[in-house]
Amino acid sequence: MNSARFIAVLGFALLAGPAFAQADKVVAKVDGIAITEKDIQLASEDLGERLAQLPEDRKRDEVINYLVDLKLGAKAAADAKITDSPDFTARLAYYREKVLLDEYLTREGKKAVTADAAKKLFDETTKAMTPEEEAHARHILVEDEAQAKAVVERLKKGEDFAKVAADVSKDPGSGKEGGDLGWFTKDRMVPEFAEAAFKLKKGEVSEPVKSQFGWHIIKLEDKRTKPLPDFAAVKPQIDQYLERKAQQDLVVALREKAKIERLDKPAAPAAPAPAAPAAPAAPKKN
C-alpha cells in the first residue's frame, strides 16, 4: 500500500472509528438492558412531531424516558410469550417489509439527487416559465367611500402616503408598514384592486377603488418583470422533488415487472380486440 493510500485509509479510520463508537456508546441501562446513542437517534426519528413541540433541553430526557418504557415493555411482552402468537409473527413480517421498503426508497431516491440533475431541472423549469409582470404598491383601506374621498383630499394637499396609511388604514397587515404590500402579481389580489393597481404609472395614486374588503386608495411604487427564482433558494425543493420522483418511478417500475394476481375477485374480462384500421378510400375515376 503506497503512503498516500495508507494516509487516506488511516484518515477514514480516525474519522469513522469515533463515529461508530459513539453510536454504540451506552448512555443508560434499565434492568441491565443497554440504551445506546443509536437507540436515541432511531427513537428521535420515530417520535418526530412529538419531540418538535418540546424545548431543546427536554428532548434528550424525553427520548431516554421513552426508550426506558420501550425496553421494559418489550421485555415484558417477550416474557409473556407474545412473540409466539401468529398475529405477532404476521405483524413483525409486515413491519419488516415496510422498513425494508422505506430504507430502499430512501437509499435509491438519494442517488437521484445530484448537482447536475438539480441544475438541469431548474434550467428546464425556468425556461418554460412565462414572464409575469409584478407591481410594488401601497394602499390605504377604509370602510366607506366618504372616508376614501377624505383620504384622497389629504394626499392631494401633500401629506405623505405612508404616514396617512399608518394613521387611518384598516388593513392590519400593511397599515403599520405605511400601506406597503411589497411585490405582487395580478393573481394575488382581488380583481378590482389588481386592475386599478396595474393601470397606474410609477408614483401615481388611484381614485377610491371598492372591493369586498372596503375602499382602497392605491399608490404604485414600481413595476417590473417578475425575476426568476434564485437557484440556491429553491434547490432544497428541487432536491426533494428529484428524490420523490425517483422513488415513485422505482415503485412503478417494480409493479410493471411483477406478475400481480388478484385472487379475491373474479378476473377481468378480456379486452376486445381493437378494430382493424379502415382501408384507404379508392381514388375516384374522372
Side-chain angles (χ1 to χ4, degrees), residues 133-135 184-186 193-200 220 223:
E133 189 178 31
E134 279 190 319
F184 56 87
T185 51
K186 283 185 178 181
F193 186 99
E195 183 178 354
F198 278 85
K199 281 183 179 178
L200 295 172
L220 182 70
K223 282 182 188 175

Side-chain angles (χ1 to χ4, degrees), residues 163-182:
K163 182 178 182 304
V164 176
D167 288 344
V168 304
S169 182
K170 303 298 182 183
D171 184 342
S174 71
K176 295 179 181 179
E177 303 297 327
D180 195 352
L181 297 169

Side-chain angles (χ1 to χ4, degrees), residues 119-177:
K119 191 63 170 65
K120 180 182 178 183
L121 180 59
F122 175 80
D123 291 341
E124 290 174 350
T125 303
T126 52
K127 185 177 179 180
M129 291 173 65
T130 303
E132 288 185 280
E133 189 178 31
E134 279 190 319
H136 177 199
R138 297 176 184 270
H139 85 138
I140 299 169
L141 177 66
V142 293
E143 294 178 354
D144 57 49
E145 187 176 12
Q147 290 176 321
K149 288 181 177 179
V151 168
V152 171
E153 288 303 313
R154 290 178 63 177
L155 296 172
K156 286 181 178 179
K157 290 178 182 178
E159 289 194 53
D160 180 68
F161 192 99
K163 182 178 182 304
V164 176
D167 288 344
V168 304
S169 182
K170 303 298 182 183
D171 184 342
S174 71
K176 295 179 181 179
E177 303 297 327

Side-chain angles (χ1 to χ4, degrees), residues 41-52:
Q41 176 196 333
L42 294 173
S44 297
E45 293 173 3
D46 185 35
L47 293 173
E49 293 182 4
R50 174 175 162 184
L51 285 182

Side-chain angles (χ1 to χ4, degrees), residues 99-125:
V99 172
L100 277 171
L101 175 60
D102 288 345
E103 289 293 319
Y104 180 53
L105 291 179
T106 298
R107 186 186 69 183
E108 296 301 311
K110 289 187 182 304
K111 291 179 182 178
V113 182
T114 65
D116 289 343
K119 191 63 170 65
K120 180 182 178 183
L121 180 59
F122 175 80
D123 291 341
E124 290 174 350
T125 303

Side-chain angles (χ1 to χ4, degrees), residues 241-259:
Y241 171 84
L242 289 171
E243 184 173 349
R244 289 182 176 178
K245 186 176 186 306
Q247 293 170 347
Q248 183 183 46
D249 291 345
L250 179 59
V251 172
V252 170
L254 290 173
R255 288 182 66 91
E256 288 176 348
K257 294 176 184 176
K259 180 183 178 181

Side-chain angles (χ1 to χ4, degrees), residues 14-26:
L14 290 172
L15 291 172
F20 289 130
Q22 181 69 14
D24 291 335
K25 181 181 177 183
V26 177

